[in-house]
């Protein structure tokens, strides 16, 4: 019996006369368990992928009706599965050694297995929420798997990544536990597009290799030493703001996140992602403390995203509250105002004439005064 099935049966009663309980007819005990099961609220099942960056503690508390499908990461043609292998270490070593790193969508069969597990757990419908279809073929794989699923599956394209996607998954699963309808849950899952993520990478090279940004954008960031803050719009990566130095990048990430948190209100949820730079992430968490009524999370970036961003990435995911407008494309970092130059003293009028008269006076000093006649 797997973990999902072990949660279906309620625990057997314990107390005095336990041996008498064991002597009761099996049929009677089965009838009691069935009546209890009928009273259990079975929500709509939720499936997502590892790009959602769901915290381990949250997944452990919701594993009965939530499944997170791992996305494969290939380092030098060796395939690793997030959750079962030490992918972050292998990925960091591969990137440091310059080995080829690639990612892949999960196989439709893997998604179908997750759908069947939830169906066996008793769900009547499934909401399957995945990272942007413009970054991965996972949405397409989910639709292929849904066609063979034993229960209806509604596939939702989140149009985002990381905990901007994950916050929508968490909200949908928590609402599902209250017995909400599939229509309501699907609409809630689609609100992932209103969540924002801002991230900065040490180099744009990995994103360029993975085809997530254009060659021109990569050259711009490398040749001009630009450290752009990136975001998502309509499911695609955009340049949000140009920053010149790494120290300014952290400051701008904090400023952008605080401004959006203020616009969304106290119900906003925020998380900081990192890869190999926990101290920098904790600094941002500290700076954002108090901007929300909820704890600001520090969560490692999923390996499937770290393969494209590289070691040293920092990101802030924001969700909830009143969603502000979508991020605008490229905006230059505001330049500090230059100190005003002191004004030069105005030249006297007819300066050329005065200089000419001065030269004339020096050549002709004028008449010599008469000598004093007093002896």
């Amino acid at each position: 019996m797997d973990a999902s099935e072990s949660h279906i049966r309620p625990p057997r009663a314990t107390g005095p006369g336990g041996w008498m309980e064991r002597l009761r007819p099996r049929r009677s005990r089965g009838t009691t368990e069935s009546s209890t099961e009928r009273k259990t609220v079975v929500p709509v099942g939720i499936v997502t992928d590892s790009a959602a960056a769901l915290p381990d503690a949250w997944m452990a508390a919701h594993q009965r009706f939530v499944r997170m499908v791992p996305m494969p990461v290939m380092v030098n043609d060796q395939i690793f599965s997030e959750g079962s292998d030490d992918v972050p270490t292998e990925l960091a070593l591969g990137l440091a050694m310059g080995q080829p790193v690639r990612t892949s969508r999960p196989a439709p069969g893997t998604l179908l297995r997750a759908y069947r597990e939830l169906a066996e757990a008793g769900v009547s419908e499934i909401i399957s929420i995945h990272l942007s279809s413009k970054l991965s073929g996972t949405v397409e794989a989910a639709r292929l798997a849904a066609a063979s699923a034993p229960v209806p599956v509604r596939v939702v394209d989140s149009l985002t990544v990381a905990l901007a996607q994950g916050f929508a998954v968490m909200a949908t699963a928590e609402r599902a536990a209250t017995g909400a309808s599939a229509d309501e849950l699907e609409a809630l899952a689609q609100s992932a597009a209103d969540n924002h993520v801002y991230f900065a990478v040490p180099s744009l090279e990995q994103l360029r290799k993975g085809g997530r940004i254009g060659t021109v954008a990569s050259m711009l960031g490398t040749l001009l030493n630009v450290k752009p803050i990136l975001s998502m719009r309509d499911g695609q990566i955009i340049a949000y703001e140009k920053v010149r130095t790494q120290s300014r990048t952290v400051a701008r990430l904090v400023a952008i996140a605080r401004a959006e948190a203020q616009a969304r209100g106290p119900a906003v949820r925020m998380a900081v992602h990192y890869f190999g730079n926990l101290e920098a992430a904790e600094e941002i968490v500290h700076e954002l403390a108090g901007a929300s009524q909820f704890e600001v999370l520090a969560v490692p970036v999923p390996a499937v995203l770290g393969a494209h961003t590289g070691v040293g990435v920092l990101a802030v995911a924001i969700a909830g509250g009143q969603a502000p407008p979508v991020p605008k494309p490229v905006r230059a970092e505001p330049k500090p105002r230059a100190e005003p130059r002191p004004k030069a003293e105005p030249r006297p009028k007819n300066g050329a004439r005065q200089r000419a008269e001065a030269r004339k006076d020096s050549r002709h000093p004028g008449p010599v005064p008469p000598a004093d006649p007093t002896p």
Side-chain angles (χ1 to χ4, degrees):
M1 180 182 295
D2 60 23
S4 62
E5 293 174 340
S6 64
H7 289 276
I8 297 175
R9 295 178 180 272
R12 294 181 178 178
T14 58
W19 63 274
M20 293 183 65
E21 172 69 19
R22 290 194 296 271
L23 291 179
R24 290 183 181 179
R26 292 180 179 272
R27 183 175 180 181
S28 174
R29 290 206 306 268
T31 304
T32 303
E33 290 176 0
S34 298
S35 62
T36 305
E37 286 179 353
R38 284 196 296 270
K39 295 179 182 178
T40 303
V41 175
V42 179
V44 174
I46 307 297
V47 173
T48 188
D49 50 69
S50 55
L54 296 177
D56 293 339
W58 187 91
M59 275 299 303
H62 295 81
Q63 62 182 344
R64 183 178 180 186
F65 296 115
V66 178
R67 295 291 182 274
M68 184 168 65
V69 176
M71 298 185 67
V73 177
M74 289 160 279
V75 180
N76 200 24
D77 294 332
Q78 186 173 357
I79 301 177
F80 299 94
S81 180
E82 195 157 18
S84 58
D85 300 316
D86 188 9
V87 188
T89 300
E90 297 293 342
L91 177 59
L93 289 174
L95 291 171
M97 297 174 64
Q99 295 177 339
V101 174
R102 294 177 294 138
T103 60
S104 175
R105 71 180 190 180
T110 304
L111 288 155
L112 180 57
R113 185 160 54 249
Y115 298 156
R116 285 174 174 167
E117 286 179 2
L118 289 176
E120 291 173 0
V123 305
S124 57
E125 284 194 73
I126 295 172
I127 309 293
S128 199
I129 311 166
H130 300 286
L131 80 160
S132 173
S133 61
K134 297 180 181 179
L135 299 180
S136 168
T138 305
V139 167
E140 180 185 0
R143 288 172 178 155
L144 290 173
S148 303
V151 295
V153 178
R154 306 188 187 198
V155 179
V156 175
D157 183 353
S158 72
L159 294 176
T160 188
V161 292
L163 265 170
Q165 168 194 348
F167 278 133
V169 174
M170 295 165 72
T172 305
E174 289 165 2
R175 184 76 61 84
T178 66
S181 68
D183 289 339
E184 180 183 351
L185 297 175
E186 183 179 19
L188 184 58
Q190 290 171 343
S191 69
D194 295 330
N195 300 340
H196 292 162
V197 58
Y198 303 93
F199 55 103
V201 295
S203 170
L204 296 173
E205 186 62 17
Q206 283 300 122
L207 286 170
R208 185 194 65 79
K209 287 181 178 179
R212 268 59 182 183
I213 61 173
T215 305
V216 174
S218 177
M219 292 177 62
L220 176 67
T222 304
L223 298 179
L224 301 184
N225 196 29
V226 173
K227 306 291 184 183
I229 294 176
L230 308 175
S231 188
M232 297 286 297
R233 189 177 70 171
D234 298 329
Q236 295 181 322
I237 297 175
I238 64 166
Y240 180 79
E241 185 171 301
K242 297 177 182 177
V243 185
R244 292 287 180 183
T245 64
Q246 185 65 22
S247 60
R248 285 292 298 162
T249 296
V250 174
R252 288 303 300 158
L253 274 176
V254 171
I256 292 167
R258 290 190 70 89
E260 180 159 334
Q262 184 177 6
R264 287 179 178 266
V268 65
R269 293 183 180 271
M270 292 187 288
V272 180
H273 291 297
Y274 61 93
F275 185 11
N277 50 350
L278 176 58
E279 290 184 2
E282 290 177 337
E283 177 185 345
I284 297 178
V285 169
H286 176 74
E287 293 292 334
L288 294 178
S292 167
Q293 66 185 21
F294 301 103
E295 177 188 3
V296 180
L297 305 176
V299 181
V301 70
V304 69
L305 302 183
H308 296 287
T309 60
V311 178
V313 61
L314 287 170
V316 180
I318 307 176
Q322 182 65 36
V326 296
K328 297 179 180 178
V330 182
R331 183 178 63 187
E333 178 186 15
K335 296 181 180 179
R337 294 183 178 179
E339 292 289 336
R341 295 182 179 180
K343 295 182 179 180
E345 296 183 1
R347 293 182 179 180
K349 296 180 179 180
N350 301 324
R353 181 183 301 174
Q354 290 182 358
R355 287 193 297 271
E357 291 178 355
R359 286 195 298 271
K360 181 178 180 182
D361 291 342
S362 64
R363 290 195 300 269
H364 305 285
V368 178
D372 189 354
T374 306

